[in-house]
Amino acid sequence: MDFRVDIAVLDSHKKGSRFGLTLHNLSEKSYPHWRLSFTFDRYIDPASISVGHITQTGSFCTLELTDSVLYSNHHVYIEFSILTAPFRFLSDGIKEAYLDTDSLSRETVSVSPIVLKHGYDKHTTVPNVIAHKHQLIPHPEQITFTDGHFELSRYSQISWDHPDNKGAAGWLQEEVERLFAMTPKSIGQQGVHFKRSPVLSSEEYKLNISHGGVIIEATDTAGFIYGASTLLQLCAFDEARQTLSVPFVSIQDKPRFSYRGVMLDSARHFQPINEIKRFINLLAHYKLNTFHWHLTDDEGWRIEIKALPALTEIGAWRGPDEVIKPQFHHISEKYGGYYSQSDIKEVVEFASARGIQVIPEIDIPGHCRAAIKALPHLLVDHEDKSTYRSVQHYTDNTLSPGIAGTYQFLDTVLEEVAALFPAPYLHIGADEVPLGSWVNSPSCKKLMQTHGYSSAKELQGHLLRYAEDKLRSLGKRMLGWEEAHFGNKVSKDTIIYSWLSEEAAINCAKMGYDVVLQPGQTTYLDMAQDYTCEEPGVDWASVISLEQAYQYEPLSDIAHNDPVKKRILGIQAALWTEIITHQDRLDYMVFPRLLALAETAWCHEQRKDYPYFLARLKPHLTLLDRQNIRYRHPWSE
Ligand code: TNX
């Protein structure tokens, strides 16, 4: 490449760092007029730049210098500062860069790894363990092994006693084929029988393996899927004989929490539908029952809304020549994508066949930049002179509760989304509304006067109550991040997802809200996994090692008999995707930490044991290998 950018931390302390940036022109030509664009996660203090001028929208920065020729085989050097915590990881640096000049078409600029001042350099090791004879994750409630093995071959039969069990039986067959390249032919001999057992509760299952074969008992699809997923984990494949050997065992099993979720952000980076289905299929193996789909954010709108096509025509794409400028990665090209309504139906059906409900999230009133850019005629409050900057450095990402267009947008979007997803829930976001929003908007001031509101937070409550009523009329219960109760307007029907801390969850539970726990410090899979600077990830909430993920115990400070605990519906892991550029990176961040969290979601505290988990994980890795899951190896140096 003809151009290169180097960046180094010059000075760093708790509340800020200074950087030196060098742009090298390695070509034989000089450029009198040029502009460098690059992505950088933190907000650059505009007053701190040594020469020139930087503009920043989200992570997208553009640097311009007046009267500065970029001479052939020379460089330009600038300095700037941030006012936030020090950089610890190499991935904290400049992600990508390109150069615009008068005479050249856009040129990609290579980016050298950042030179850190206080990078992490402490590698932690996972204790070595002896592999256990079985690799079951999550661990079943009751399990008794007896001597002997049953053999499954391609002549085994998978049968069922009720048409409703057929889906799970089909899934087992598909997974045997996918994992072991072996197709049970359903021709005649004894094998696996799916038996309906109405005495069991929802999601509960029994698995019995003896001389007579395998019997899976359950009362609903989820229970049968869990029985089948346990069976798959018990299979030892004999390559030479092309058989699966399963030990004689008797298992009775049911979940600890009724809500066991994973949130995936498809807005910051987009995952094609086949990756979404692969991900959902894996959730079924770990007995997780909810896929929370974060479909909209500042950086992209990912769900087709037929009545508002601009949302995806404009809002689903970003790039140097698009309405929405590049962010994070893939910056010199048009990047994005969206799920058509038929894609969504396909995903919902796929998930439901695996006992998984899909809950969509439409994030309002903050995190709405893509929608606002796509529908300015509806969503821009032209008189609003408020100034704010969101956590992710946007100054124009908040819906206005003071204009009619906002309500028209909400009605249309919520009606279409509610009709697409059968789950009785819809997540409305409500997180991180920037301070300062709406305070200089005449229409918002008027709304405040009409209702006697005294703070802008009440406007957020006003809008969310509208959304809640609308959702109720559509037969849905509203879910929201912990800020959803701000302004004290939504009803106690709303379910709160706490993410900032456990205290927030306790407070909300005490106020009478049902809560789902998703604390950043233990369940955020975009957090780095170790204290070394090469580790991908962020650390604003914490570094989360496998052990920390495993040891998470929801509301551990509260007594078991405290009624507040009854308000906890369950736990959820979250994958925000600012740094998840492709599937291998997703795998690396998710596995095996998700297995640790899945065990907490399924197993009671008394049955959890980290060394025992590791002993099961060790042989389990072979199963991940079989599926080409690019997990972070717990024992590799
Ligand atoms: C906080 S958790 C966010 C997300 C970011 C995430 C990055 C929450 C409700 N908001 O918008 O992607 O941090 O870790």
Side-chain angles (χ1 to χ4, degrees):
M1 267 183 230
D2 282 344
F3 304 97
R4 192 183 82 221
V5 64
D6 298 338
I7 181 161
V9 182
L10 305 174
D11 181 27
S12 176
H13 48 91
K14 238 186 174 156
K15 292 224 160 114
S17 303
R18 189 140 183 95
F19 299 87
L21 180 153
T22 316
L23 171 64
H24 300 270
N25 177 0
L26 309 170
S27 77
E28 298 304 318
K29 243 183 114 177
S30 298
Y31 298 95
H33 301 291
W34 57 272
R35 200 168 67 225
L36 178 71
S37 296
F38 60 93
T39 40
F40 189 73
D41 274 348
R42 306 286 189 85
Y43 184 65
I44 297 173
D45 175 11
S48 70
I49 183 160
S50 57
V51 275
H53 178 70
I54 281 188
T55 50
Q56 181 166 3
T57 304
S59 65
F60 186 66
C61 305
T62 302
L63 167 71
E64 275 179 284
L65 267 63
T66 29
D67 304 326
S68 159
V69 180
L70 185 57
Y71 287 108
S72 164
N73 288 309
H74 275 71
H75 65 261
V76 168
Y77 176 78
I78 65 152
E79 291 186 10
F80 60 80
S81 303
I82 61 166
L83 302 173
T84 43
F87 278 23
R88 307 292 201 180
F89 299 105
L90 295 175
S91 61
D92 284 336
I94 289 181
K95 301 193 182 320
E96 287 181 17
Y98 65 76
L99 191 74
D100 288 303
T101 62
D102 278 354
S103 49
L104 264 184
S105 58
R106 188 164 294 132
E107 282 282 312
T108 305
V109 175
S110 75
V111 179
S112 323
I114 188 166
V115 179
L116 295 169
K117 192 120 199 150
H118 302 294
Y120 284 131
D121 59 358
K122 208 175 90 226
H123 179 64
T124 30
T125 51
V126 174
N128 211 349
V129 289
I130 296 169
H132 196 269
K133 67 174 184 226
H134 81 71
Q135 44 156 317
L136 294 176
I137 298 173
H139 196 270
E141 192 170 67
Q142 285 174 38
I143 178 164
T144 316
F145 287 99
T146 40
D147 285 345
H149 284 80
F150 181 75
E151 210 163 72
L152 288 164
S153 73
R154 58 196 195 89
Y155 299 109
S156 300
Q157 186 180 37
I158 299 178
S159 58
W160 55 88
D161 68 347
H162 191 280
D164 284 0
N165 321 348
K166 199 176 152 189
W171 183 72
L172 175 65
Q173 178 150 354
E174 261 171 57
E175 292 303 275
V176 166
E177 180 162 11
R178 188 176 68 85
L179 293 166
F180 309 107
M182 200 184 98
T183 321
K185 287 266 172 30
S186 305
I187 42 165
Q189 299 196 12
Q190 52 174 202
V192 184
H193 184 61
F194 285 74
K195 185 170 165 228
R196 212 165 176 77
S197 178
V199 293
L200 297 179
S201 49
S202 171
E203 299 200 303
E204 187 175 7
Y205 73 93
K206 279 189 185 174
L207 172 66
N208 245 289
I209 306 176
S210 65
H211 288 286
V214 181
I215 296 176
I216 298 174
E217 287 177 70
T219 189
D220 55 6
T221 302
F224 284 117
I225 292 283
Y226 303 150
S229 72
T230 300
L231 174 64
L232 286 163
Q233 293 186 10
L234 286 168
C235 288
F237 185 48
D238 185 328
E239 199 98 43
R241 299 179 57 219
Q242 290 288 301
T243 54
L244 295 171
S245 165
V246 281
F248 289 173
V249 74
S250 164
I251 291 178
Q252 182 146 11
D253 201 9
K254 59 176 182 320
R256 172 186 186 184
F257 290 112
S258 64
Y259 185 108
R260 304 178 305 281
V262 178
M263 188 221 73
L264 178 68
D265 169 7
S266 293
R268 271 55 178 274
H269 281 106
F270 173 73
Q271 307 83 25
I273 180 170
N274 60 324
E275 289 180 22
I276 296 288
K277 286 161 79 177
R278 170 186 182 265
F279 189 68
I280 289 176
N281 192 49
L282 289 168
L283 305 189
H285 282 271
Y286 300 102
K287 303 182 172 60
L288 295 159
N289 65 4
T290 303
F291 176 61
H292 168 172
W293 205 358
H294 186 79
L295 285 164
T296 70
D297 215 304
D298 295 318
E299 299 84 1
W301 182 281
R302 307 274 174 233
I303 174 170
E304 177 190 23
I305 302 295
K306 293 210 193 268
L308 297 169
L311 280 172
T312 41
E313 277 161 15
I314 295 170
W317 305 99
R318 49 187 200 241
D321 305 313
E322 305 304 308
V323 173
I324 300 174
K325 294 295 161 229
Q327 294 294 334
F328 316 125
H329 293 270
H330 316 285
I331 68 169
S332 44
E333 62 204 65
K334 179 172 175 178
Y335 172 84
Y338 66 91
Y339 309 103
S340 68
Q341 296 206 348
S342 73
D343 289 341
I344 301 263
K345 285 182 193 146
E346 198 180 318
V347 167
V348 166
E349 253 172 57
F350 181 90
S352 145
R354 287 154 182 76
I356 294 173
Q357 65 172 343
V358 185
I359 298 182
E361 180 187 347
I362 304 295
D363 198 353
I364 65 145
H367 289 277
C368 270
R369 189 168 189 271
I372 294 171
K373 294 291 158 195
L375 300 170
H377 60 289
L378 274 185
L379 301 179
V380 174
D381 181 353
H382 291 284
E383 253 91 84
D384 187 353
K385 300 285 175 265
S386 314
T387 52
Y388 58 82
R389 186 160 50 82
S390 74
V391 183
Q392 286 89 4
H393 334 307
Y394 297 105
T395 54
D396 47 5
N397 75 340
T398 308
L399 295 182
S400 168
I403 57 173
T406 297
Y407 298 90
Q408 196 184 323
F409 161 81
L410 270 184
D411 284 352
T412 313
V413 169
L414 295 183
E415 280 165 24
E416 288 198 28
V417 176
L420 276 173
F421 293 88
Y425 309 106
L426 198 151
H427 201 295
I428 203 74
D431 56 318
E432 298 183 322
V433 172
L435 205 69
S437 301
W438 312 317
V439 293
N440 271 320
S441 151
S443 67
C444 288
K445 279 190 185 150
K446 195 160 154 234
L447 189 66
M448 288 179 72
Q449 268 163 14
T450 312
H451 294 275
Y453 299 154
S454 55
S455 89
K457 266 194 184 168
E458 286 187 90
L459 289 173
Q460 163 157 343
H462 181 92
L463 196 60
L464 292 175
R465 186 174 52 203
Y466 181 87
E468 184 182 38
D469 290 344
K470 178 75 194 172
L471 287 172
R472 195 177 289 124
S473 78
L474 296 166
K476 307 282 175 182
R477 192 167 168 190
M478 186 165 87
L479 319 176
W481 300 115
E482 66 199 64
E483 298 97 318
H485 70 89
F486 285 9
N488 207 16
K489 303 261 177 298
V490 304
S491 82
K492 299 291 187 292
D493 271 355
T494 289
I495 299 174
I496 300 290
Y497 284 54
S498 65
W499 63 278
L500 279 166
S501 65
E502 293 255 310
E503 290 80 72
I506 299 172
N507 290 339
C508 289
K510 282 188 178 152
M511 282 190 261
Y513 292 103
D514 286 338
V515 293
V516 170
L517 296 169
Q518 188 199 280
Q521 298 77 6
T522 42
T523 68
Y524 271 26
L525 301 174
D526 59 330
M527 297 298 138
Q529 313 188 48
D530 197 11
Y531 295 91
T532 56
C533 64
E534 293 85 11
E535 204 53 57
V538 295
D539 67 343
W540 68 260
S542 181
V543 164
I544 304 178
S545 64
L546 181 61
E547 177 166 11
Q548 270 161 307
Y550 188 81
Q551 301 293 17
Y552 170 49
E553 177 48 34
L555 303 197
S556 53
D557 294 344
I558 287 197
H560 283 292
N561 55 359
D562 191 318
V564 155
K565 282 217 160 153
K566 293 230 160 52
R567 295 245 166 245
I568 304 172
L569 304 183
I571 66 170
Q572 177 160 286
L575 186 62
W576 300 101
T577 57
E578 289 92 336
I579 58 150
I580 312 296
T581 46
H582 53 285
Q583 188 176 281
D584 285 359
R585 172 59 57 82
L586 179 144
D587 283 359
Y588 184 89
M589 302 308 283
V590 170
F591 297 98
R593 288 186 298 183
L594 184 64
L595 278 53
L597 289 158
E599 184 142 303
T600 301
W602 186 267
C603 296
H604 282 277
E605 192 188 353
Q606 312 82 279
R607 285 191 290 121
K608 280 181 59 190
D609 179 298
Y610 184 55
Y612 183 41
F613 170 74
L614 291 178
R616 282 172 286 132
L617 179 61
K618 204 164 194 183
H620 196 103
L621 296 178
T622 318
L623 193 60
L624 302 185
D625 288 331
R626 281 193 171 280
Q627 304 170 73
N628 276 328
I629 296 174
R630 316 291 292 174
Y631 56 88
R632 183 180 193 274
H633 202 299
W635 290 283
S636 76
E637 284 310 308

